[in-house]
Amino acid sequence: MTAPEPAAPPRRGRGRPGHDQAAVLRTAVALFNRRGYDATSIGDLAAELGVTKSAIYHHFASKEDLLRLALDDALDELTAVVSAAVSDADGASARDRLREVLRRSVEVLAAHQPAVTLLLRVRGNTPTEVEAVKRRRWLDDQLAGLVRDAAAEGALRDDISPDLVSRLLFGMVNSLVEWYRPEGAHDAATVADAIASIAFDGLVRR
Amino acid sequence: MTAPEPAAPPRRGRGRPGHDQAAVLRTAVALFNRRGYDATSIGDLAAELGVTKSAIYHHFASKEDLLRLALDDALDELTAVVSAAVSDADGASARDRLREVLRRSVEVLAAHQPAVTLLLRVRGNTPTEVEAVKRRRWLDDQLAGLVRDAAAEGALRDDISPDLVSRLLFGMVNSLVEWYRPEGAHDAATVADAIASIAFDGLVRR
DNA sequence: CCTACCGATCGGTAGG
DNA sequence: CCTACCGATCGGTAGG
């Protein structure tokens, strides 16, 4: 269990050496994921960075502000991917767009793992969380629609309800946040292929 | 968003009417899942039950005790299922035992959804959580071994690493805790069949 | 002697 | 970016 690197304060020749907003946010998200948002105090975050609580409040208006920025990062990326997939601008079949959104979701998840992890753990306890949950639900609904379209095309077996398929498929994708690490054994493309492969063709040797 | 039923205190003719240990634990687990363990105070739990904090401490030694009992419930059930699957006492193939453990895991998850949800969210911040994480890891290792055995039998396609298969497969199963509800549209058997079906044969119509 | 509590308060720590 | 604080609430325990 190594601490997230406090990222040695860069010197830029002007002002105090210190952490910028992005560096504070990165450390905050890592702590939120390690201990939970509620269990992480601003004091914990300050100690991790080697500054005082007030230094944090120099960069962010509130603890919830840190959470909101991190959640927006994940949501904006996922929204872009899903929006592109549901609009059949290029005339691709729903089946092909589904396969593509699986692949691109895995890539977003790999590239923004900490923020997406935080997003998937949000329960809706504050207005910020409620808003994030709403946006997540919109994404889920779009994806469910895409699976229904693929089913309507006749591309999918018809003995499993499209809604169940969509929950299980994106449940498999989302479970990546529990173990995927950029420096790990599997790169994002391998994982994306494996998921699409298992989902469409199954595990059984033919 | 409905509150977990405080389960009207039963009268048993002796002593005060009140909540028994199991009823307090059920309500605690529901609250822990709704707001997070750390964000839930014993005062919150007491208020939910309509009693005082002291009444909680009559039944449980500490807040962590509540967590431990809930986690043990989930872990004991899952351990039983996994232990049965990895011992090939009946001489079944690894492939068949894998399919069976998928099915039975879903059943445990459906029957003990609140406790399993709590288990999957544990991060290892206290000795109780570290112990639970250790037991979870043991389960994951056993399941990974079973997938490797099925691969060694030649039952699975060989272009995806068994470890990746096992992570994705049980990631899909575990994602149930995010949406499965006993009163929902899909019963446990349907979900179990859907997962085994997708995993082994894939989504594509043949 | 049991189960199931109450009203009040302890020493510490939270976010801001 | 610090020291010095606030209003409130935390998990846990006392006697009855």
Side-chain angles (χ1 to χ4, degrees), chain A residues 140-201:
Chain A
D140 290 343
D141 289 346
Q142 299 300 306
L143 293 167
L146 187 54
V147 173
R148 274 195 301 274
D149 289 348
E153 280 176 7
L156 307 183
R157 53 196 285 176
D158 55 10
D159 59 338
I160 309 177
S161 102
D163 281 4
L164 187 49
V165 165
S166 138
R167 286 186 191 279
L168 293 174
L169 220 44
F170 292 96
M172 179 158 64
V173 171
N174 289 340
S175 73
L176 288 194
V177 300
E178 297 298 330
W179 59 268
Y180 184 85
R181 297 297 176 272
E183 73 281 8
H186 314 281
D187 64 20
T190 303
V191 175
D193 287 345
I195 289 181
S197 220
I198 293 174
F200 282 87
D201 304 318

Side-chain angles (χ1 to χ4, degrees), chain B residues 94-112:
Chain B
R95 182 213 152 111
D96 288 349
R97 284 180 285 130
L98 179 58
R99 193 161 189 138
E100 177 68 6
V101 79
L102 280 175
R103 202 181 58 74
R104 293 195 52 193
S105 294
V106 171
E107 276 162 14
V108 166
L109 218 137
H112 300 258

Side-chain angles (χ1 to χ4, degrees), chain B residues 4-16:
Chain B
E5 317 209 351
R11 264 230 155 274
R12 272 184 308 265
R14 211 152 4 134
R16 275 198 193 222

Side-chain angles (χ1 to χ4, degrees), chain B residues 176-193:
Chain B
L176 287 194
V177 299
E178 297 298 330
W179 58 269
Y180 185 85
R181 297 297 175 269
E183 72 280 9
H186 313 281
D187 63 20
T190 302
V191 175
D193 286 344

Side-chain angles (χ1 to χ4, degrees), chain B residues 40-42 53-54 57 62-63:
Chain B
T40 304
S41 71
I42 296 292
K53 287 199 294 178
S54 300
Y57 285 107
S62 65
K63 189 186 174 190

Side-chain angles (χ1 to χ4, degrees), chain A residues 54-181:
Chain A
S54 302
I56 310 295
Y57 286 107
H58 170 70
H59 291 297
F60 300 92
S62 65
K63 188 186 176 191
E64 198 160 356
D65 217 42
L66 282 158
L67 179 63
R68 191 175 47 75
L69 285 166
L71 295 178
D72 280 347
D73 173 37
L75 283 163
D76 290 348
E77 295 287 335
L78 292 170
T79 300
V81 166
V82 169
S83 296
V86 296
S87 86
D88 56 353
D90 55 355
S93 67
R95 182 214 151 113
D96 288 349
R97 284 179 286 132
L98 178 59
R99 193 160 188 141
E100 178 67 7
V101 79
L102 280 174
R103 201 181 60 71
R104 295 194 53 194
S105 295
V106 170
E107 276 162 14
V108 167
L109 218 137
H112 300 258
Q113 193 264 346
V116 177
T117 301
L118 200 55
L119 174 65
L120 293 178
R121 291 190 188 152
V122 153
R123 316 265 39 112
N125 294 327
T126 62
T128 295
E129 297 190 16
V130 168
E131 178 61 26
V133 166
K134 236 182 244 169
R135 291 188 64 187
R136 265 200 66 189
R137 192 129 42 203
W138 182 86
L139 294 168
D140 290 343
D141 289 346
Q142 299 300 306
L143 293 167
L146 187 54
V147 173
R148 274 195 301 274
D149 289 348
E153 280 176 7
L156 307 183
R157 53 196 285 176
D158 55 10
D159 59 338
I160 309 177
S161 102
D163 281 4
L164 187 49
V165 165
S166 138
R167 286 186 191 279
L168 293 174
L169 220 44
F170 292 96
M172 179 158 64
V173 171
N174 289 340
S175 73
L176 288 194
V177 300
E178 297 298 330
W179 59 268
Y180 184 85
R181 297 297 176 272

